[in-house]
Each structure stands twice: as structure tokens, then as C-alpha cells.
């Protein structure tokens, strides 16, 4: 399947740390079917997984997330103590991307797909958006990907184009409105939590807000994140019922948190994403086809 004639169809990939391996399963199935969307909004780990989708590297996200989940160079408290970041960004975007699981930069930069990265400005507490055109070389792409997965509390703030930023999921976890504002009226969403899920304020939110109290707008954005997420999820579910969106989400509950590191659990989540994408493929094809006839 191709997206010819579907120039106004966008793809939104939810973040969620290691839960994003579900999204990797969905995209790997689509790559087998040659299904590529012209416009993608990636949040947090969703942007990192989207990059391998654009570089046409089926299986790369799966391998990186599962095979290196327990590698202390990738994620460890030692990284946090020594480098101020739970994630080993220098390893993830250095040795891993260049040697162990080489990223195909050439194919990525040749892609005619457009990827939107979502960041949070620490001074305003608001979401800011950049596209793949803003990172047209390897160095800038690495910097933008690093910023898009850098969480308050467990990562250092990232400096990007004169702004101090964190992961965009803080300010806009489900940026459907961004896709609509950019003219993509028909959107496919890949979520990594089962239907009916709602966020609540957590102790970690309170701690993160306290740590960043010198930036009150950011602290408030952290505390209010669950409210914005739940409101947008309600809108998404209404639009889904009306046929205005096509949503793929886990078909059953699977206990896996943002920091899940057990390979068996991650493999189950990946396989669920692949299976769910396969089971709804015909329905998705019919939904997409309906817009060609309009």
C-alpha cells in the first residue's frame, strides 16, 4: 500500500519511553507492507522510532530497545550520577547508532516524509515544534533527537537553537492539534496504552516540579500534564467513534512502564504491536481508501 493521493493524512506516534516498543512493532509491520505516511508527529521515544521508519530500517528499533534494555551504557543510575542523565545519550547516539545498530542517515535524509519533533521550552512551559527540515545534517538530527527524549528529573536540559528544552511530552503529550493545524485532517494514531487509560498526578510529577521550581512555568506544565492528556484523550476517543481518526492501541493490558527493561516483557509488547497492526490492516486500508474517493 502506498500513500499516493493521501497527502492530507498524518501519523501521530505517542511517547512513553520503553513502551514505545509497541509502536516499533506496528511500524515494522507497515514497512513490510510498504505503508509510509507523508507526515509524522513523534513524541519523545516516538520521534526516535519514527526516524528508523523513515530510514526504512525494519527491526532496528526493536533490536535497540530490547537487546540493549539491560545495557548500563544505554540506561543506568551510573549514567545519572556521572553524567546527569539516566540515559546514556552519548552511547545511544554514538556507538550504538554508528557501530552496533548503524542508523542509515543517507536513506533518512533522502526520505520525502516529514517528521515533526515536539519539545518543551523550560521558560514558557509551552510546546515548540520543529520539523525534519530543521535538522538537515547528522549533528543537528542527533541534537534534536536527544532533546526530544530528554525528560525532566532524569535528564539534563538540552540547548537547542538558543532555547533550553526538554521532552515535548511534558507540554503536549498528544499533539493532534498540531497535525490538524498543519492541514492534516485525516490522522492515524499509534498509542501504547490500552483504551480507557487516563493519567493521574504521580509522586514523580511532584518531585520533578519541585526540582524545577526555579522555572515555574515548566513546573506547572509538569503538574498539569495529566489534565491536558486526559482532555485530549477524551477528544481522541470521540473523534475515533465518529470515524474521524484511526487509532491503533494495545489490544490488551500489559504491565510495562516507561522504564521497562525486561526483554521478555518488551518482546511481548513488540509482538502485540505487530499483531495488532496486522489484525486491523484491512480496516485501516479501507479507512484510508475512503478518503481517495472523497
Amino acid at each position: 500500500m502506498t500513500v499516493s493521493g493521501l497527502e492530507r493524512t498524518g501519523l501521530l506516534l505517542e511517547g512513553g519511553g520503553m513502551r514505545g516498543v509497541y509502536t516499533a512493532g506496528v511500524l515494522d509491520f507497515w514497512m513490510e507492507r510498504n505503508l509510509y505516511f507523508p507526515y509524522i508527529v513523534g513524541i519523545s521515544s516516538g520521534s526516535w522510532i519514527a526516524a528508523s521508519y523513515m530510514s526504512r530500517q525494519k527491526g532496528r528499533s526493536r533490536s535497540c530497545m530490547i537487546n540493549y534494555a539491560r545495557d548500563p551504557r544505554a540506561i543506568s543510575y551510573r549514567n545519572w550520577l556521572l553524567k546527569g542523565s539516566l540515559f546514556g545519550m552519548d552511547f545511544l547516539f554514538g556507538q550504538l547508532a554508528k557501530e552496533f545498530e548503524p542508523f542509515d542517515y543517507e536513506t533518512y535524509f533522502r526520505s520525502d516524509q516529514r517528521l515533526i519533533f515536539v519539545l518543551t521550552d523550560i521558560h514558557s512551559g509551552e510546546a515548540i515544534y520543529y520539523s525534519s527540515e530543521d535538522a538537515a545534517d547528522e549533528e543537528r538530527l542527533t541534537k534534536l533527537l536527544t532533546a526530544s527524549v530528554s525528560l525532566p528529573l532524569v535528564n539534563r536540559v538540552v540547548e537547542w537553537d538558543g532555547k533550553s528544552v526538554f521532552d515535548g511530552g511534558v507540554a503536549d503529550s498528544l499533539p493532534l492539534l498540531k497535525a490538524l493545524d498543519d492541514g492534516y485532517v485525516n490522522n492515524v494514531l499509534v498509542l501504547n496504552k490500552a483504551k480507557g487509560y487516563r493519567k493521574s498526578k504521580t509522586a514523580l510529577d511532584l518531585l520533578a516540579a519541585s526540582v524545577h521550581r526555579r522555572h515555574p512555568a515548566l513546573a506547572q506544565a509538569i503538574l498539569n500534564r495529566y489534565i491536558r492528556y486526559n482532555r485530549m484523550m477524551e477528544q481522541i476517543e470521540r473523534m475515533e467513534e465518529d470515524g474521524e481518526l484511526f487509532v491503533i492501541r494495545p489490544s490488551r493490558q500489559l504491565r510495562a512502564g516507561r522504564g521497562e527493561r525486561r526483554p521478555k516483557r518488551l518482546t511481548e509488547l513488540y509482538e502485540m504491536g505487530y499483531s495488532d497492526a496486522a489484525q486491523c490492516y484491512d480496516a485501516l486500508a479501507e479507512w484510508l481508501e475512503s478518503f481517495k474517493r472523497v
Side-chain angles (χ1 to χ4, degrees), residues 127-200:
I128 48 178
Y129 308 92
Y130 293 91
S131 75
S132 41
E133 290 91 341
D134 296 309
D137 59 53
E138 182 178 328
E139 182 179 356
R140 284 182 64 81
L141 175 61
T142 296
K143 189 76 168 182
L144 191 50
L145 283 169
T146 299
S148 67
V149 299
S150 292
L151 296 164
L153 191 62
V154 297
N155 294 103
R156 288 179 176 174
V157 67
V158 177
E159 299 300 322
W160 169 261
D161 276 2
K163 298 181 184 293
S164 299
V165 297
F166 275 125
D167 183 320
V170 175
D172 193 357
S173 299
L174 297 167
L176 175 60
L177 297 181
K178 171 60 177 172
L180 294 172
D181 287 345
D182 282 350
Y184 292 85
V185 296
N186 312 314
N187 290 283
V188 177
L189 278 63
V190 180
L191 309 179
N192 52 53
K193 291 175 281 292
K195 190 169 186 177
Y197 172 83
R198 295 293 185 271
K199 285 187 182 295
S200 58

Side-chain angles (χ1 to χ4, degrees), residues 7 162 196 206 208 220 246 256 264:
E7 291 82 4
L206 296 172
Q220 197 60 51
F246 194 98
K264 181 178 179 181

Side-chain angles (χ1 to χ4, degrees), residues 82-134:
L82 296 181
K83 303 176 183 179
S85 172
L86 188 67
F87 302 102
M89 299 298 189
D90 53 349
F91 173 74
L92 294 173
F93 297 108
Q95 195 172 17
L96 182 65
K98 297 179 184 299
E99 181 179 345
F100 300 146
E101 300 286 346
F103 180 72
D104 189 344
Y105 289 97
E106 183 178 354
T107 299
Y108 171 86
F109 287 123
R110 284 204 314 264
S111 173
D112 57 2
Q113 294 173 282
R114 184 183 182 208
L115 174 58
I116 303 299
F117 300 84
V118 188
L119 308 179
T120 299
D121 187 307
I122 72 167
H123 297 293
S124 69
E126 296 180 352
I128 48 178
Y129 308 92
Y130 293 91
S131 75
S132 41
E133 290 91 341
D134 296 309

Side-chain angles (χ1 to χ4, degrees), residues 71 74 82 120 123 157 163-164 202-203 207 212 258 272 276 278:
D71 192 319
L82 296 181
T120 299
H123 297 293
V157 67
K163 298 181 184 293
S164 299
T202 68
L207 178 58
H212 293 287
R258 174 183 293 276
M272 188 191 303
D276 288 349

